[in-house]
Amino acid sequence: MSPVDRPVLPLVGAPRAERADAVRNRRQLLATAREMLAEQGVDKLTMDALAERACLGKGTVYRRFGTRAGIFVALIEDDEQIFQERLLSGPPPLGPGAPPLDRLIAYGQARVAFMIEHREIVRAAIDGRQAVPAGTEMSLSRMHIRMLLRQIPLGAADLDILAIQLSAALEGPFLLYLSATDIADDALHTQERAARGWHDLIQRTCRP
Amino acid sequence: MSPVDRPVLPLVGAPRAERADAVRNRRQLLATAREMLAEQGVDKLTMDALAERACLGKGTVYRRFGTRAGIFVALIEDDEQIFQERLLSGPPPLGPGAPPLDRLIAYGQARVAFMIEHREIVRAAIDGRQAVPAGTEMSLSRMHIRMLLRQIPLGAADLDILAIQLSAALEGPFLLYLSATDIADDALHTQERAARGWHDLIQRTCRP
DNA sequence: AGCATAAGCGGACTTTACCCCGCTTGTTAT
DNA sequence: ATAACAAGCGGGGTAAAGTCCGCTTATGCT
């Protein structure tokens, strides 16, 4: 077991490390969920079916993920790690090095692409009770935007609110597209238009 | 039966007027739903309980509203009518007469107040599948915003996208508040902060 | 008035998310 | 090692959303 998986010194305040069998089961469930998703689509991924196919009890699924939406959130978080690494240490303008305004614009465009690519899973994650608005990914988006905003001279502005507004404005067109479209022919078109819209909005908002 | 309830000449393209018994049942169900909501809260408003208390079959409830969330959407639309009248013919700056920029700012602030006042129902309406993003109320919000934007000189901008972005930015802080807060002590504070944030965002976005 | 028919109705039935709680197992301190 | 105990597990049980389909009734036409 690598040091990455289990730090020698656990973070203070962290609830408690997961037991080895719990980690194994989580991985097993996530992998099985991906299989089922690829083979049969979102609807057929029921809690019973997942448990049975993973040769585990239903109770275990709930212990690991809390709710059905929790599974999808976990899947997205998994994929998001790569995305986050690009933010933190990838090449500019997404990664550090470019001027903050350029990074902000690049961020939105990358984010739109990411969401559209993972639209099926995101859609499923939304269906559960307030899973997404309070969820990890959205607040990550907000935190990143706020971090960049801080580096841009904006006069006296409530950066927390502005970050919330901008991240909502970023997701908004995407959510609309999700709920309006069942077949995804125009995914590319939507993506381009949303990306351009984001670019314009940031220009408007952040000019001196 | 008044002409308002049943126009003499039905609109072309309208699917078909509801039958008299259907109208009666819809009203009955909506009224009963409001009672139950006031007495027992959102959770106790189940489809079975509603049907039984309204002395109707469950099938009828589904025929009228489609889904559980549909009931809440219907309730909100009911309340929204008053709000809409204020927009269309009330006093400025919300109603017509004031400069469009002022109207836009006033709109957001009134909308925040409306949402916070109806937070319980809105929350319940959100829980159903894509009920809200594609729902009537949100698109009304968007249409109103777009209508006002058209009257403001903004250079070459994609007004459709901008309207989507701004309406999302308007709802965003509110949704966040919904999912983060269970008890509503700070409703007033949230409302003020969101209202101020909206004011600032519009100023930034719409300045020449 | 009488008829044809589409709309509406009811409630049993199915499916599925989520809860519960007694049993098992990994972990840690002695 | 081993004991003590918290964490994890399993799967039967429950409640509630949503579906189905045969029966009833309003409505519009003749």
Side-chain angles (χ1 to χ4, degrees):
Chain A
M1 186 170 288
S2 83
V4 172
D5 286 340
R6 176 98 65 105
V8 181
L9 294 176
L11 279 64
V12 293
R16 168 88 105 164
E18 246 169 10
R19 241 166 62 171
D21 49 352
V23 172
R24 196 178 341 114
N25 288 339
R26 150 170 276 124
R27 290 206 179 124
Q28 166 75 354
L29 286 166
L30 244 33
T32 307
R34 269 194 214 281
E35 279 173 32
M36 294 178 71
L37 227 42
E39 285 172 23
Q40 306 171 10
V42 175
D43 290 344
K44 290 290 174 60
L45 182 46
T46 68
M47 301 306 256
D48 288 308
L50 175 60
E52 190 179 356
R53 177 146 170 186
C55 302
L56 292 168
K58 213 182 343 176
T60 305
V61 182
Y62 276 94
R63 177 160 282 272
R64 289 298 111 230
F65 300 108
T67 70
R68 178 175 136 91
I71 292 172
F72 296 102
V73 171
L75 286 173
I76 293 177
E77 280 176 359
D78 221 35
D79 293 341
E80 277 239 307
Q81 265 180 265
I82 300 160
F83 185 72
Q84 280 180 56
E85 274 162 31
R86 286 205 291 152
L87 291 186
L88 295 175
S89 56
L94 198 57
L101 191 63
D102 295 344
R103 289 191 72 192
L104 188 52
I105 291 169
Y107 172 74
Q109 297 178 341
R111 179 98 196 133
V112 168
F114 179 86
M115 286 190 295
I116 288 187
E117 192 183 343
H118 295 79
R119 57 185 173 275
E120 278 298 309
I121 299 180
V122 173
R123 175 181 241 149
I126 289 175
D127 278 356
R129 324 214 143 207
Q130 79 291 44
V132 167
T136 323
E137 21 136 25
M138 274 233 186
S139 66
L140 280 174
S141 190
R142 230 167 53 232
M143 281 171 55
H144 190 69
I145 289 174
R146 200 184 49 181
M147 185 270 286
L148 292 173
L149 286 176
R150 249 202 283 266
Q151 301 173 33
I152 300 173
L154 287 170
D158 185 338
L159 292 190
D160 288 328
I161 291 283
L162 188 55
I164 295 171
Q165 290 171 327
L166 290 182
S167 67
L170 183 56
E171 323 266 342
F174 169 71
L175 292 177
L176 204 68
Y177 153 78
L178 261 199
S179 61
T181 317
D182 275 330
I183 311 149
D185 301 324
D186 51 353
L188 196 66
H189 175 249
T190 303
Q191 180 175 337
E192 268 174 32
R193 200 163 168 210
R196 168 174 294 278
W198 172 255
H199 175 272
D200 290 351
L201 181 66
I202 295 304
Q203 293 283 9
R204 283 184 181 283
T205 311
C206 296
R207 70 199 149 163
Chain B
M1 188 169 287
S2 83
V4 172
D5 285 341
R6 175 97 66 105
V8 179
L9 294 174
L11 280 64
V12 294
R16 167 88 102 164
E18 248 170 8
R19 239 166 62 172
D21 50 352
V23 173
R24 196 179 341 114
N25 287 339
R26 151 169 275 124
R27 289 208 179 123
Q28 165 75 355
L29 285 166
L30 243 32
T32 307
R34 268 194 214 282
E35 279 174 31
M36 294 178 70
L37 227 41
E39 285 173 23
Q40 307 171 13
V42 175
D43 291 343
K44 291 288 173 61
L45 182 46
T46 68
M47 302 305 256
D48 287 305
L50 175 60
E52 189 178 359
R53 177 148 171 183
C55 301
L56 292 167
K58 198 165 33 151
T60 306
V61 182
Y62 276 94
R63 178 161 280 272
R64 288 297 114 232
F65 300 107
T67 72
R68 178 173 135 93
I71 293 172
F72 296 102
V73 171
L75 287 173
I76 292 178
E77 279 175 0
D78 223 36
D79 293 341
E80 277 238 307
Q81 265 180 267
I82 300 160
F83 185 73
Q84 279 180 57
E85 275 163 30
R86 285 205 291 151
L87 291 186
L88 295 175
S89 55
L94 198 57
L101 191 64
D102 295 344
R103 288 191 74 192
L104 187 54
I105 291 170
Y107 171 75
Q109 297 178 342
R111 179 99 196 132
V112 168
F114 179 86
M115 286 190 296
I116 287 187
E117 191 183 344
H118 295 78
R119 57 183 172 274
E120 277 299 308
I121 299 181
V122 173
R123 175 182 242 149
I126 290 174
D127 278 356
R129 325 213 143 206
Q130 80 291 45
V132 166
T136 323
E137 17 135 27
M138 273 234 187
S139 66
L140 280 175
S141 191
R142 229 167 54 230
M143 280 170 55
H144 190 69
I145 289 174
R146 199 184 49 182
M147 184 269 286
L148 292 173
L149 286 176
R150 249 203 282 265
Q151 301 173 34
I152 300 172
L154 286 170
D158 185 337
L159 292 191
D160 288 328
I161 291 284
L162 188 55
I164 294 171
Q165 290 170 328
L166 289 182
S167 68
L170 183 56
E171 323 267 344
F174 169 72
L175 291 177
L176 204 68
Y177 153 79
L178 262 199
S179 61
T181 318
D182 275 329
I183 311 149
D185 302 322
D186 51 355
L188 197 66
H189 175 249
T190 302
Q191 181 175 336
E192 268 174 32
R193 200 163 168 210
R196 168 174 293 279
W198 172 255
H199 175 273
D200 291 351
L201 181 66
I202 296 303
Q203 293 284 8
R204 284 182 180 282
T205 311
C206 295
R207 69 197 149 163

